[in-house]
Amino acid sequence: KEMKKKLRPLQVVGIVDSEEMFFIAAYKREDRRIIRYVYNLEFKEMYYSKELLDKLQEFFGCGRVVLDNKLTGGYKFVITDLKEVEEKIIPFFDKNNLLTSKNLDYEVFREAVLMIKEKGGITEQVYNDIKKLREKCNKKREKKEIFEFSRDYSTSDKINEEWLVGFIEGDGSFQFSIGRSIYASIEIAQSKARRPLLEAIKGYLKAGAVKPKQGYGLKELLSSRDTHRLVISGRKMIEEKVIPMFEGLELY
């Protein structure tokens, strides 16, 4: 089997924009009034993409790939060492900005990690501050904030092929069917609050259609279906816009 190429930095950013969860937590043992803390960064993929997790571990030079769910066969790539997070993860994402609203979660994660470093560990105040930070990240973040970030920051001029291939790795799917005619398409799905990102990708590729067809102001989005899709179909579009992106870049 041929060795696959190493991941490229912006390809990694695209993967993280689509897949990862920045997780920061502080746990307190009430019985002895001893504060125990955990901070980690997780990338989760199903078992069939374990090779991608191995590549991420190789790229960052830290962390470990572990079984996450025996029932589904899911693996995850986890980094929990504070020194590794400080020296490898934070410098990388400070230099290579995330393009989606995941950047907001990264900023919270970064703030918490640097807070722990500055205070030399977790004090009662740091413990309480981290609890407050967690209330505004990941799934707890308001759709309005996600939409506004996507509209103002996730713009087509920030997208390139490396990032897009990485993003498709996590959130894209390829469709192919043969009936009375041959149909092929690539689809990228996002939550409705991130529809502006799909519009930006459409603008970058100058191809495809975002569905459902509608205006995408905040009011319209909140009343629409939960998932929106960018669909690129047709032989000419696939040959001219999609296939060239993957020449020299790997999918896992």
Side-chain angles (χ1 to χ4, degrees):
K1 184 179 179 180
E2 293 183 6
M3 293 292 291
K4 290 197 173 184
K5 297 180 176 65
K6 291 184 178 181
L7 294 172
R8 299 180 185 180
L10 292 180
Q11 188 178 3
V12 170
V13 174
I15 293 168
V16 175
D17 262 323
S18 67
E19 285 289 341
E20 123 310 328
M21 179 182 70
F22 290 100
F23 177 76
I24 185 76
Y27 303 101
K28 185 164 75 172
R29 293 177 57 178
E30 297 287 353
D31 54 341
R32 299 179 184 177
R33 302 300 296 173
I34 296 174
I35 297 175
R36 177 173 65 88
Y37 60 93
V38 175
Y39 35 80
N40 68 357
L41 171 66
E42 294 188 358
F43 300 79
K44 292 187 178 182
E45 278 283 349
M46 291 301 292
Y47 69 94
Y48 49 77
S49 296
K50 182 177 181 294
E51 184 180 4
L52 173 60
L53 301 184
D54 292 334
K55 285 292 183 181
L56 286 169
Q57 182 184 31
E58 176 188 351
F59 179 85
F60 285 113
C62 62
R64 64 191 189 278
V65 177
V66 298
L67 183 65
D68 184 41
N69 190 316
K70 291 182 180 180
L71 294 177
T72 62
Y75 283 83
K76 64 181 179 182
F77 170 45
V78 187
I79 303 168
T80 58
D81 184 87
L82 181 60
K83 185 177 181 181
E84 291 179 341
V85 172
E86 290 174 1
E87 295 181 353
K88 297 186 177 183
I89 302 305
I90 290 178
F92 175 79
F93 288 110
D94 281 354
K95 181 180 179 180
N96 302 280
N97 294 332
L98 294 158
L99 300 188
T100 71
S101 56
K102 296 286 180 69
N103 191 57
L104 298 172
D105 297 330
Y106 167 69
E107 291 296 335
V108 172
F109 177 83
R110 183 182 188 276
E111 182 179 350
V113 169
L114 296 182
M115 185 189 305
I116 294 170
K117 178 184 178 182
E118 180 183 349
K119 301 298 183 181
I122 290 202
T123 63
E124 187 74 20
Q125 183 61 52
V126 172
Y127 169 77
N128 291 327
D129 288 344
I130 288 177
K131 285 183 65 177
K132 291 178 182 177
L133 287 173
R134 290 192 64 196
E135 291 302 313
K136 59 180 182 179
C137 67
N138 294 320
K139 294 181 180 180
K140 296 180 180 180
R141 190 174 299 282
E142 292 185 1
K143 288 182 174 62
K144 179 177 183 292
E145 185 179 11
I146 294 172
F147 169 76
E148 290 175 347
F149 183 92
S150 300
R151 179 196 63 198
D152 299 337
Y153 190 81
S154 303
T155 52
S156 57
D157 59 298
K158 294 185 176 74
I159 297 171
N160 64 26
E161 286 189 358
E162 285 185 19
W163 178 88
L164 188 52
V165 169
F167 193 71
I168 290 171
E169 180 80 63
D171 282 349
S173 62
F174 297 90
Q175 312 289 333
F176 186 82
S177 62
I178 300 177
R180 293 183 178 179
S181 61
I182 296 175
Y183 177 82
S185 71
I186 179 172
E187 298 187 6
I188 303 173
Q190 292 291 289
S191 67
K192 58 187 177 184
R194 293 170 73 176
R195 181 183 173 110
L197 172 65
L198 297 178
E199 297 286 353
I201 295 173
K202 174 187 172 183
Y204 170 76
L205 292 173
K206 295 181 175 58
V210 179
K211 300 181 179 181
K213 295 180 179 180
Q214 63 179 64
Y216 60 96
L218 180 61
K219 184 177 179 180
E220 292 83 0
L221 282 176
L222 292 179
S223 61
S224 70
R225 67 180 67 166
D226 289 337
T227 302
H228 289 217
R229 299 174 298 130
L230 170 63
V231 181
I232 304 170
S233 60
R235 177 177 175 178
K236 184 177 180 181
M237 285 295 181
I238 297 294
E239 289 180 349
E240 293 181 358
K241 301 293 184 178
V242 178
I243 292 176
M245 283 196 304
F246 298 98
E247 294 179 356
L249 293 170
E250 300 282 1
L251 285 173
Y252 294 88

